[in-house]
Amino acid sequence: MMKFGSKNSTNTPIKCTIRLLDDSQLLDSEFQINEKGSSLISRICEQLDLIEKDYFGLRYVDSKRQRHWLEPSKSIFKQIRDMEADNILFSFRVKFYPPNPFRLKEDITRYQIYLQLKRDLLHGRLYCNTSEAALLGAYILQAELGDFNPEEHIDNYVSELKILLKQTLQLEEKMMDIHKNELKGKTAAEMETIFLKKACVLDTYGVDPHAVKDQRGNQLYLGINHTGILTFQGSKKMNHFSWSQVQKINFEGKMFIIHIILNEKKQTIGFKCPRGSSCRHVWKCAVEQMLFFTFPSSSDVPNVVSGGGFFSWGTKFKYSGRVEREILEDMTITRESPTVTRVGSLRRKSSSEPPTPSNLVVNQVGFNSLSRSSTNTSEEYNTSMDSSNQIDNSSVLEPLIEDQEIVTSKIEQEIHHEEILNDHLLIDFTTTVTDSPPLIQSISNQLSGQKHLETTAIRNSGSSLSFLRQTLLPLIFALFMMVLIVVIVLESDFDIIATIRKAPEIAAFKKNYYEPIKDLLLRRFIRSKIF
């Protein structure tokens, strides 16, 4: 059993699980306690035969249900040490969505982008109207099922497949009609290309929605992608601040603040996040996206600091890796394009999910997974402001935050049919998640074992170091500065300070407190020198 802090802990590898873009695929990996995030990311990309790895990242959820991207330049252990988990789980995801997927050099990279967008469509992040949703769904059917076959594809063969977050009968009929009559003869590669062309022009392409409130308290979703920062309210895109307009991004406490130039005037716009940790996450995401898509070279990227105060250090962010322009201008990729192995990952609604560490069974919903009570139930995202293209709200895709998704599949009585929760748990916004069922709790307890003790060591180490950094060190520094100021005032010979010492209060303090303490320390110091 490994215990962090022991003599052998630095040489003992830490096991972790990597969930790929297709949920049916899991990779077992490990890392050393001093290993940096870039090493693990590179190792996963090598296993997937990806050279254009800069667009991808590993994401995880901490013990407070806050999402994070694994930072390449920092120690993995230092980033995940306070995770409340029985096993460490990372999710391999597209971090930077390329503005034009067809400028990528390899088909295998484009295929991973396709898998991510298909996932975004399923989880409601790739918001679109019903006709666009039906079209994208039909493309997926043709890509993964092939041509319509009346002997195999009978009745409503789409009803048992997971393609859209909310599949109404009307949407399913439209998808089947397009699949049957319009896409015959198209190969999987052709359909993926058509899917990418359609998806990458949507307003919500590459948008991971963050729940925020404006200055009036209105509920908004904040999206950040290669074009800039977008805000959505209900079914409307409210604002789009392009990167060329954004001059500065910072945060203070729970306030995410952007400084823009609009109509040749400087303006400051703030959005309130639910927690300080979520605000810091939004700030980091925005800074990374801006640097990646706007800077000509990674060597030109400066260090960024925000969120500091008198008794706390600010959050310092150091960008690591190449920027998009460097990737596109890289001419070193000369290998023959590898064969794309397609997984055919259409899942049935009743199918079980792969086993996942028991820590992912959650019994409460964080703010990032907004409950339906905090939004208008009849309003959803739309990709158009045109009133003639309004969405039928009864069949629209619902917004869903990926790392708060809870799979609502049934748990079988037999152990080998257990459907323990996904890494990105699906949440139905019309329900309230309460305490986990007894069966899940018992399974969770059985899976704890040795790794629970190791994780507890990680969490305790992280908590103590976090307390030391955030509370004790600033307090010691403040006391030191106060003592230093007192000594300067009472001991220096400057005329200005001599005038201050003549004040009755200062003179009384010096006689009654400072000089006795000084004499005591001098006597002890001299006596210790003598003996």
Side-chain angles (χ1 to χ4, degrees):
M1 179 176 67
M2 176 180 63
K3 291 184 179 181
F4 295 107
S6 64
K7 294 182 179 180
N8 297 324
S9 62
T10 56
N11 299 321
T12 305
I14 305 170
K15 294 183 179 180
C16 63
T17 302
I18 313 295
R19 187 180 295 283
L20 302 182
L21 285 165
D22 174 30
D23 278 334
S24 64
Q25 293 184 303
L26 297 174
L27 293 179
D28 292 326
S29 188
E30 58 185 28
F31 59 89
Q32 298 294 329
I33 195 169
N34 294 322
E35 190 173 348
K36 292 186 177 181
S38 57
S39 178
L40 181 60
I41 295 172
S42 296
R43 197 154 58 245
I44 300 305
C45 287
E46 287 176 8
Q47 289 185 258
L48 297 175
D49 206 8
L50 292 171
I51 291 181
E52 298 170 285
K53 60 184 179 181
D54 303 84
Y55 293 98
F56 303 93
L58 295 176
R59 189 151 66 182
Y60 64 95
V61 184
D62 66 17
S63 59
K64 296 179 181 178
R65 311 301 178 196
Q66 176 58 51
R67 294 177 297 169
H68 301 274
W69 286 104
L70 187 68
E71 294 191 35
S73 61
K74 292 185 178 181
S75 163
I76 302 173
F77 169 73
K78 289 182 179 179
Q79 295 181 68
I80 57 93
R81 60 192 173 193
D82 63 342
M83 286 178 62
E84 188 175 353
D86 296 318
N87 193 14
I88 299 170
L89 178 75
F90 296 105
S91 296
F92 180 78
R93 298 291 179 257
V94 175
K95 187 175 184 179
F96 304 106
Y97 289 69
N100 183 356
F102 301 99
R103 294 190 68 185
L104 298 173
K105 295 180 174 62
E106 296 195 325
D107 291 336
I108 195 169
T109 313
R110 267 186 293 275
Y111 180 65
Q112 294 295 327
I113 304 296
Y114 163 76
L115 290 179
Q116 177 69 71
L117 290 171
K118 188 178 73 169
R119 183 182 182 85
D120 292 346
L121 186 66
L122 171 62
H123 294 146
R125 290 182 297 278
L126 189 62
Y127 306 114
C128 52
N129 59 40
T130 52
S131 60
E132 291 169 329
L135 199 59
L136 292 172
Y139 294 161
I140 295 173
L141 287 176
Q142 180 67 21
E144 304 204 14
L145 300 183
D147 289 342
F148 175 82
N149 186 337
E151 295 181 357
E152 295 180 7
H153 307 141
I154 57 176
D155 299 327
N156 187 355
Y157 59 94
V158 181
S159 62
E160 291 301 314
L161 302 177
K162 291 182 175 181
I163 300 177
L164 306 175
L165 179 62
K166 262 205 168 173
Q167 290 183 197
T168 63
L169 179 60
Q170 180 184 5
L171 268 172
E172 291 172 348
E173 290 175 348
K174 182 64 175 175
M175 281 190 286
M176 290 187 292
D177 181 64
I178 298 172
H179 179 216
K180 178 180 179 180
N181 300 314
E182 301 181 23
L183 304 176
K184 187 175 181 180
K186 299 289 186 181
T187 65
E190 290 174 328
M191 293 315 306
E192 290 163 10
T193 298
I194 297 172
F195 180 95
L196 287 174
K197 287 181 179 179
K198 181 69 176 176
C200 71
V201 297
L202 296 175
D203 283 342
T204 50
Y205 170 72
V207 167
D208 186 12
H210 304 274
V212 297
K213 290 183 179 181
D214 62 14
Q215 66 274 18
R216 297 180 180 178
N218 297 321
Q219 186 65 59
L220 302 176
Y221 283 95
L222 200 67
I224 306 162
N225 64 9
H226 65 278
T227 65
I229 300 174
L230 306 92
T231 61
F232 298 88
Q233 184 178 35
S235 60
K236 295 181 180 180
K237 183 177 75 173
M238 303 299 294
N239 295 289
H240 179 201
F241 307 111
S242 66
W243 291 129
S244 60
Q245 294 175 313
V246 177
Q247 301 298 301
K248 181 182 177 182
I249 305 171
N250 67 308
F251 76 96
E252 296 178 6
K254 298 181 181 180
M255 290 299 297
F256 173 69
I257 304 167
I258 57 176
H259 304 261
I260 63 171
I261 293 181
L262 197 60
N263 299 326
E264 299 183 353
K265 293 182 179 180
K266 293 184 178 180
Q267 297 186 26
T268 302
I269 303 174
F271 301 95
K272 187 176 182 180
C273 299
R275 297 182 304 275
S277 58
S278 59
C279 188
R280 185 166 53 252
H281 174 66
V282 173
W283 173 76
K284 281 188 176 181
C285 289
V287 169
E288 275 194 293
Q289 295 284 327
M290 184 177 184
L291 298 177
F292 181 83
F293 288 111
T294 62
F295 272 74
S297 171
S298 56
S299 60
D300 298 328
V301 175
N303 292 339
V304 185
V305 179
S306 182
F310 185 77
F311 288 104
S312 64
W313 295 307
T315 297
K316 183 178 180 180
F317 177 77
K318 183 178 181 180
Y319 183 82
S320 176
R322 298 187 296 177
V323 297
E324 188 199 25
R325 185 175 297 183
E326 291 175 319
I327 301 168
L328 296 176
E329 294 175 353
D330 183 7
M331 304 305 294
T332 60
I333 300 178
T334 57
R335 69 173 182 176
E336 183 179 349
S337 184
T339 303
V340 178
T341 303
R342 291 175 170 83
V343 294
S345 58
L346 270 185
R347 293 174 290 166
R348 295 188 177 275
K349 293 178 182 178
S350 58
S351 66
S352 61
E353 303 294 339
T356 300
S358 59
N359 66 290
L360 298 170
V361 178
V362 298
N363 56 14
Q364 58 183 348
V365 181
F367 192 102
N368 279 353
S369 57
L370 231 55
S371 64
R372 188 61 81 185
S373 62
S374 61
T375 59
N376 189 332
T377 57
S378 64
E379 292 182 335
E380 304 293 349
Y381 285 176
N382 194 352
T383 59
S384 174
M385 297 287 289
D386 188 353
S387 59
S388 63
N389 193 26
Q390 290 299 313
I391 301 176
D392 177 7
N393 288 320
S394 63
S395 59
V396 73
L397 300 183
E398 292 195 0
L400 186 64
I401 308 298
E402 177 179 7
D403 293 299
Q404 303 291 345
E405 299 156 0
I406 296 181
V407 178
T408 55
S409 55
K410 181 180 178 182
I411 299 181
E412 302 291 344
Q413 296 297 323
E414 297 83 359
I415 295 297
H416 65 281
H417 285 147
E418 294 165 2
E419 296 179 2
I420 302 182
L421 301 171
N422 237 337
D423 67 313
H424 295 136
L425 311 170
L426 287 170
I427 292 179
D428 184 353
F429 285 66
T430 59
T431 62
T432 301
V433 181
T434 56
D435 292 339
S436 301
L439 179 57
I440 297 181
Q441 295 289 0
S442 63
I443 295 171
S444 175
N445 293 335
Q446 292 173 14
L447 294 178
S448 297
Q450 174 180 340
K451 293 180 180 179
H452 176 72
L453 297 177
E454 298 172 1
T455 305
T456 302
I458 296 177
R459 186 168 63 254
N460 292 340
S461 173
S463 299
S464 59
L465 289 175
S466 177
F467 173 79
L468 179 66
R469 183 179 71 86
Q470 296 181 7
T471 306
L472 191 56
L473 290 180
L475 182 60
I476 293 173
F477 178 75
L479 291 174
F480 172 77
M481 292 302 298
M482 290 175 63
V483 171
L484 182 62
I485 292 171
V486 169
V487 172
I488 292 174
V489 170
L490 298 180
E491 297 291 344
S492 61
D493 295 328
F494 295 109
D495 294 337
I496 297 177
I497 298 180
T499 305
I500 297 175
R501 281 202 300 269
K502 292 179 181 179
E505 295 85 358
I506 301 297
F509 173 80
K510 182 177 181 181
K511 180 179 180 181
N512 297 327
Y513 299 100
Y514 178 75
E515 290 184 349
I517 295 174
K518 178 182 175 182
D519 293 340
L520 176 64
L521 293 175
L522 288 175
R523 285 197 303 271
R524 293 211 171 188
F525 176 76
I526 294 172
R527 184 169 57 185
S528 63
K529 282 287 186 179
I530 293 174
F531 293 100

